Amino acid sequence: MRRSAALVALLTTTTVLVSGAEVGASPSRSKVPEAIGYGGAVASIDADATAIGISVLRRGGNAVDAAVATAAALGVTDPFSNGIGGGGFFVFYEAKTGKIHTIDGRETTPMAATETLFQENGVPIPFAEGMTSGLSVGVPGTPRTWQRALQLWGRKSLNDVMKPAEQLARSGFVVDETFRTQIANNATRFAAFPSTRELYLPGGQPPAVGTTFRNPDMANTYRELADTNLKSLYRGQIGEEIVKTVQQPPKDPASTLKVRPGKLAESDLARYEAPLREPSKTTYRGLDIYSMAPPSSGGTTVGEALNILESTNLSKQSKTDYLHYFLESTRLAFADRNRWVGDPAFSNVPTRELLSQRFADSRACLINPAKALTSPVAPGDPRNPQPCATTGQGVAAEIGSKHTTHLTTADAWGNVVSYTLTIESEGGNGIVVPGRGFLLNNELTDFNFAPLFPGVPDPNLPAAGKRPRSSMAPTIVMRHGKPFFATGSPGGASIITTVAQVITGRVDRGMTLKNAIAEPRASQRNSASAQVEKEFLAQPETAALIARGQGFSSAPAEIGAATGVERLPDGRWIAAAETVRRGGGSAAVVIPARR
């Protein structure tokens, strides 16, 4: 629903209240997991970032401008999950045309890389040694994603939308428990690199909760990026410093960590592009589900899981039956994801076939309502689907990073952005580029270090200029050609199961978006035991699921940290975020409505 010109003008001059404080009033803002109102909405994991996004909407920016500004702020306040050293996927609903657009901001391998990038003497190196290394660094795609999105659809300049985050980095923000804990979790790695240690371990310890954290190096880097319109990174001084850091990791000689140099070159940065791609699309219960196509496996795997569930009326089932079918659907979808999905520039990915209802039905018939399948289930053949047929052998999905971030924005004109971005592991590869204030990614560890299926071509081995398979699934759900809701989450491979669970919770189980996000999570990725939160194990349905053969193992902590926005029939927006995970998320709208 379009808002009147008068309302749009009002939004650009109205004081915005976020968690009871004016934007810019104080860096110590409380988090609110749900907000309802007019003029647009922002949901992220951080109150300062959300407030910055809302301030951009208030000044006449649209959902794209707000998304980039929020992302830049998250690079300051949530730097262990995302930042200009990483990449991501940007999904945009354009109200003017009614079209969904996507930008692939995934990192790419150096041109010097081969499929044995993570092997020595024919044997894969230990994952931990790949994680903290120069080998794992791909060409950063996040800055180029911001630039492209603003050029195509924004109302503001890169300088305009990066300025608030630059100011935040310079003036500082209040350290919370999540920020301190993430540093503590990585203290050994961070201490190995003087540039990281000096920033995040002052005096040898993480900064205390309640203190103000400032990052003037990042502020200066943001300023240089904006002033040069990214030339300094992709064809200039910042890029030269990134390459030097990758090729000669600045490790403390006293550290015993084995840190391998990488192969990134300045020419790799210069050739990087963030291409537009056709979104993945499927239908579910009469809704159109749009997400990210390969090289992300998010859209195809969420879509296949939903298609598998299409013939089962989950709204009429008991919660035990619903959870059983949900777990089985993602078990099967992951079996196919692991076999078939990779960078489409390097292998023939059967995207259309993976999302066909015919293929999903051939997989759904494997589900026994009384007994769980035994993992790893073998994949099916999407190009020649046969009822209940499998082919080859199955493998479980990788664990992957749990520390990505997701934000969702909407505006007064009806535009919507669902944006997931990451530096892969918590803290990326652990190395802050000296004097620049940001961490590098270790995204190339998303490649398989060796073939998963002996004797079968592996779509996710490294190669020169290739993008590693991702699980990011920024999603927009459409109803009758208009946005219904949008959502996404961090969580590595569990992103897929989280997004599918939020969608089925909202669509099939009648939950509010906030409650669908808050629901205890389970992530079945074709393994013997689904990874679950302790709150999931505490549910009364769990015993019945175990009796059906479902296996469960406790997650180390929470699974994901989702956000979302929803459009109400009267034109209001709902912004929704986590109630508890990662200390709770932050949701806000431009003009709050009276309840």
Side-chain angles (χ1 to χ4, degrees):
M1 183 184 300
R2 293 181 180 272
R3 310 306 299 166
S4 69
L7 176 57
V8 172
L10 174 66
L11 300 180
T12 65
T13 58
T14 300
T15 297
V16 182
L17 296 180
V18 182
S19 304
E22 287 190 18
V23 170
S26 168
S28 180
R29 298 184 177 90
S30 60
K31 292 181 175 182
V32 176
E34 182 182 62
I36 303 174
Y38 296 98
V42 178
S44 81
I45 198 62
D46 179 73
D48 290 309
T50 292
I52 282 174
I54 288 289
S55 73
V56 168
L57 293 176
R58 177 172 64 89
R59 296 196 305 270
N62 65 12
V64 172
D65 303 314
V68 174
T70 303
L74 287 169
V76 177
T77 60
D78 189 20
F80 315 114
S81 300
N82 76 107
I84 56 174
F89 296 106
F90 191 99
V91 179
F92 171 55
Y93 168 75
E94 185 179 23
K96 181 173 64 176
T97 63
K99 293 183 178 179
I100 303 281
H101 308 277
T102 74
I103 299 176
D104 176 358
R106 186 66 158 157
E107 300 87 343
T108 58
T109 56
M111 293 304 291
T114 69
E115 69 175 31
T116 60
L117 178 67
F118 292 107
Q119 296 181 25
E120 289 182 356
N121 301 317
V123 178
I125 65 174
F127 184 84
E129 293 182 11
M131 185 176 77
T132 306
S133 73
L135 281 179
S136 60
V137 180
V139 179
T142 289
R144 187 70 84 199
T145 300
W146 297 352
Q147 181 188 59
R148 187 119 204 237
L150 293 170
Q151 287 173 342
L152 291 171
W153 311 301
R155 295 165 60 90
K156 302 285 186 179
S157 69
L158 185 65
N159 181 70
D160 287 339
V161 299
M162 288 188 70
K163 187 67 175 178
E166 177 200 337
Q167 293 172 338
L168 180 63
R170 206 174 298 282
S171 61
F173 60 92
V174 176
V175 173
D176 63 11
E177 183 59 37
T178 298
F179 188 88
R180 190 205 67 80
T181 299
Q182 289 180 317
I183 296 174
N185 290 345
N186 290 278
T188 300
R189 288 203 305 150
F190 286 1
F193 305 101
S195 55
T196 311
R197 184 175 64 220
E198 290 164 10
L199 181 60
Y200 292 122
L201 293 166
Q205 297 295 325
V209 172
T211 59
T212 298
F213 183 87
R214 296 180 177 86
N215 191 340
D217 286 345
M218 179 179 285
N220 293 336
T221 299
Y222 273 16
R223 168 53 36 205
E224 186 172 338
L225 287 176
D227 285 347
T228 65
N229 198 27
L230 304 188
K231 288 182 181 177
S232 185
L233 193 154
Y234 290 105
R235 293 180 180 271
Q237 183 63 37
I238 296 174
E240 292 174 11
E241 293 171 24
I242 290 173
V243 168
K244 180 180 179 181
T245 303
V246 170
Q247 293 184 357
Q248 303 171 43
K251 191 188 80 164
D252 187 331
S255 171
T256 59
L257 285 184
K258 186 172 185 178
V259 182
R260 293 170 172 81
K263 301 176 182 293
L264 190 69
E266 291 175 41
S267 57
D268 296 314
L269 295 170
R271 69 166 51 89
Y272 183 83
E273 296 294 337
L276 296 178
R277 295 194 187 274
E278 286 295 315
S280 66
K281 180 189 177 185
T282 192
T283 58
Y284 184 65
R285 317 294 191 208
L287 304 169
D288 293 320
I289 315 292
Y290 290 91
S291 189
M292 198 68 214
S296 181
S297 63
T300 57
T301 314
V302 170
E304 182 185 344
L306 294 176
N307 288 340
I308 288 170
L309 294 169
E310 183 77 60
S311 61
T312 303
N313 189 345
L314 299 180
S315 66
K316 299 294 185 182
Q317 290 190 325
S318 68
K319 187 173 182 180
T320 300
D321 288 335
Y322 156 65
L323 290 171
H324 177 75
Y325 273 88
F326 170 74
L327 292 165
E328 296 300 270
S329 73
T330 60
R331 187 195 306 269
L332 290 164
F334 264 97
D336 302 319
R337 172 251 197 204
N338 298 345
R339 169 63 183 89
W340 298 106
V341 181
D343 185 341
F346 288 79
S347 58
N348 186 10
V349 182
T351 300
R352 180 176 60 83
E353 292 88 348
L354 284 167
L355 288 169
S356 74
Q357 192 61 50
R358 181 186 171 205
F359 178 58
D361 291 344
S362 78
R363 304 294 277 158
C365 69
L366 289 166
I367 297 177
N368 181 339
K371 184 175 175 57
L373 289 161
T374 300
S375 285
V377 177
D381 185 349
R383 295 190 177 94
N384 183 30
Q386 300 297 319
C388 303
T390 59
T391 178
Q393 68 184 78
V395 295
E398 72 281 358
I399 294 175
S401 165
K402 299 184 288 296
H403 299 283
T404 303
T405 197
H406 181 83
L407 63 95
T408 324
T409 64
D411 63 32
W413 298 276
N415 301 299
V416 178
V417 171
S418 187
Y419 183 22
T420 313
L421 59 163
T422 184
I423 55 172
E424 183 58 12
S425 300
E426 182 179 72
N429 79 338
I431 306 175
V432 167
V433 179
R436 289 298 177 179
F438 67 91
L439 287 154
L440 291 173
N441 72 82
N442 58 358
E443 213 67 59
L444 302 188
T445 59
D446 267 352
F447 284 115
N448 299 330
F449 285 20
L452 293 182
F453 301 90
V456 177
D458 191 321
N460 194 42
L461 291 176
K466 190 174 183 178
R467 296 168 193 249
R469 179 173 62 205
S470 171
S471 298
M472 289 181 272
T475 300
I476 298 177
V477 179
M478 304 285 287
R479 181 167 58 189
H480 308 309
K482 300 291 184 182
F484 175 18
F485 68 93
T487 191
S489 178
S494 73
I495 290 172
I496 290 164
T497 55
T498 294
V499 170
Q501 191 172 354
V502 171
I503 291 172
T504 57
R506 179 68 189 90
V507 174
D508 294 299
R509 306 300 288 180
M511 298 178 188
T512 64
L513 185 57
K514 184 187 80 169
N515 289 344
I517 287 171
E519 186 74 357
R521 293 201 184 118
S523 183
Q524 172 50 260
R525 306 193 295 271
N526 199 23
S527 58
S529 296
Q531 197 174 54
V532 298
E533 295 175 324
K534 63 180 184 297
E535 293 82 4
F536 186 94
L537 292 175
Q539 296 179 123
E541 293 80 13
T542 301
L545 291 168
I546 292 172
R548 296 186 194 190
Q550 297 287 355
F552 300 121
S553 62
S554 296
E558 304 118 340
I559 296 175
T563 70
V565 298
E566 180 175 333
R567 194 73 186 266
L568 295 175
D570 63 4
R572 290 179 299 164
W573 289 105
I574 298 174
E578 296 288 354
T579 56
V580 176
R581 295 180 184 95
R582 290 189 62 186
S586 177
V589 293
V590 174
I591 301 177
R594 292 183 179 180
R595 304 268 179 136

